[in-house]
Amino acid sequence: MYLDEFQAKLAKEPMPPVILLSGDAEDSKVEALNAIKRTFLAKNPGSRVQYIDGDPASFMVALDDARTASLFRETKLLICLNIQKSLQNETSADALADYLIAPSEDHVLTLISPGGRKNPKASAALKHNTWSVECSGLAPWKALDWALGESRAQGLVMGRDVAQALLDKTGNDMIRVRQALTILQTFIQPRNQLTVADLSSVPLPGAEPEVYEILDVLGKRRADRALELLTLSDAGEGGAVPLLYGRVRELLAIADARARGVKQPDVAKELGLNPFRFKNLWEQA
């Protein structure tokens, strides 16, 4: 399940014995983990939260502790970082699979797989009694409606075209979209109606800053490195290409104004760009 589904499920259903957080969006993992801690401590006042490293020895001790906890009725949230270390060890992976057959009712085990996509070893071991959370961008078919709902929750009004333009800049990451909406809410006051022009007038979190580096590399005629950066971009090729197109147009417009002898403050007014954003463009042009 994705982060938004997980948050809704966590609010309505009892916590499972094991929760796996995987994926490449570290901010989303932090938000998911904070939600787990808040929910667990609210339901189990006075309980302990314990962090353990993912090496096999520490993990085996944690599993043994969870198995024997019911004898002493101590409720604990165990957060295991770098779980891939343990799942690469056959003994600890088998121990986890055995634990999941009859997990402790007093513990919630949260496993965090850093970076990358879903850990295949984790997926194989965690078939039972587990919620698996994909901490990456929102599913593409959900992103647009979710962004519209989030804007309404923040007291903003925007059309579907504006929401899509926002996602083109931030990608489908929930944290980035929320951060961008907070920035925009402050920027457009006292208005509450967002426009596409507003999105181009203020720096927003997301893939946009990566475009500067790609263009710098292209300017040095290093197409191979530019292609590599484009592939690694958080927005991916589909999201970064529109940003590149828009940035090149702006840079060409600035270069043209310079050639006509237009002064820097007048160029910013002529193009209708935010001064902070214009400064970066002016330096790159």
Side-chain angles (χ1 to χ4, degrees), residues 146-158 166 174-186 188-189 191-194:
W146 182 87
L148 288 167
E150 192 66 22
S151 68
R152 288 192 294 271
Q154 295 198 27
L156 296 170
V157 178
M158 66 177 177
L166 176 63
M174 294 170 64
I175 311 300
R176 286 179 174 176
V177 174
R178 286 189 182 125
Q179 290 172 342
L181 288 171
T182 300
I183 292 169
L184 289 164
Q185 184 181 41
T186 302
I188 68 170
Q189 285 182 350
R191 292 186 292 117
N192 70 338
Q193 178 80 45
L194 275 174

Side-chain angles (χ1 to χ4, degrees), residues 62-283:
L63 287 181
D64 286 339
D65 180 55
R67 288 192 188 97
T68 58
S70 59
L71 298 176
F72 305 100
R73 303 303 299 175
E74 180 188 28
T75 305
K76 188 186 297 183
L77 173 62
L78 292 170
I79 299 171
C80 183
L81 308 172
N82 303 312
I83 186 59
Q84 81 288 348
K85 294 180 183 178
S86 290
L87 294 177
Q88 289 167 359
N89 178 282
E90 186 174 348
T91 302
S92 56
D94 289 343
L96 175 60
D98 290 341
Y99 172 78
L100 286 169
I101 296 173
S104 168
E105 296 179 358
D106 301 312
H107 281 45
V108 173
L109 185 61
T110 299
L111 311 176
I112 302 177
S113 178
R117 294 298 175 187
K118 189 175 293 184
N119 188 309
K121 289 182 178 292
S123 299
L126 301 168
K127 291 181 179 179
H128 308 289
N129 298 311
T130 302
W131 289 359
S132 182
V133 185
E134 181 66 25
C135 296
S136 57
L138 285 160
W141 61 90
K142 292 182 177 180
L144 190 61
D145 287 334
W146 182 87
L148 288 167
E150 192 66 22
S151 68
R152 288 192 294 271
Q154 295 198 27
L156 296 170
V157 178
M158 66 177 177
R160 297 182 74 84
D161 58 329
V162 180
Q164 185 59 62
L166 176 63
L167 292 170
D168 288 343
K169 286 181 173 290
T170 62
N172 291 352
D173 188 282
M174 294 170 64
I175 311 300
R176 286 179 174 176
V177 174
R178 286 189 182 125
Q179 290 172 342
L181 288 171
T182 300
I183 292 169
L184 289 164
Q185 184 181 41
T186 302
F187 176 74
I188 68 170
Q189 285 182 350
R191 292 186 292 117
N192 70 338
Q193 178 80 45
L194 275 174
T195 67
V196 174
D198 292 328
L199 306 183
S200 301
S201 299
V202 61
L204 297 175
E208 189 173 17
E210 300 171 351
V211 170
Y212 288 99
E213 185 179 2
I214 294 173
L215 288 175
D216 281 339
V217 171
L218 280 173
K220 297 174 184 177
R221 297 185 179 182
R222 293 192 56 197
D224 55 340
R225 176 58 179 161
L227 181 59
E228 180 182 353
L229 290 172
L230 179 62
T231 304
L232 294 174
S233 166
D234 281 350
E237 294 183 36
V241 169
L243 293 174
L244 282 167
Y245 173 74
R247 187 57 31 75
V248 169
R249 288 191 61 180
E250 290 167 341
L251 291 173
L252 289 173
I254 291 172
D256 175 66
R258 276 179 165 175
R260 291 186 282 111
V262 182
K263 295 181 179 180
Q264 183 173 344
D266 296 328
V267 177
K269 291 179 182 178
E270 182 179 307
L271 298 179
L273 296 173
N274 177 273
F276 298 104
R277 187 162 180 270
F278 175 77
K279 182 177 181 293
N280 291 329
L281 289 168
W282 180 269
E283 291 172 355

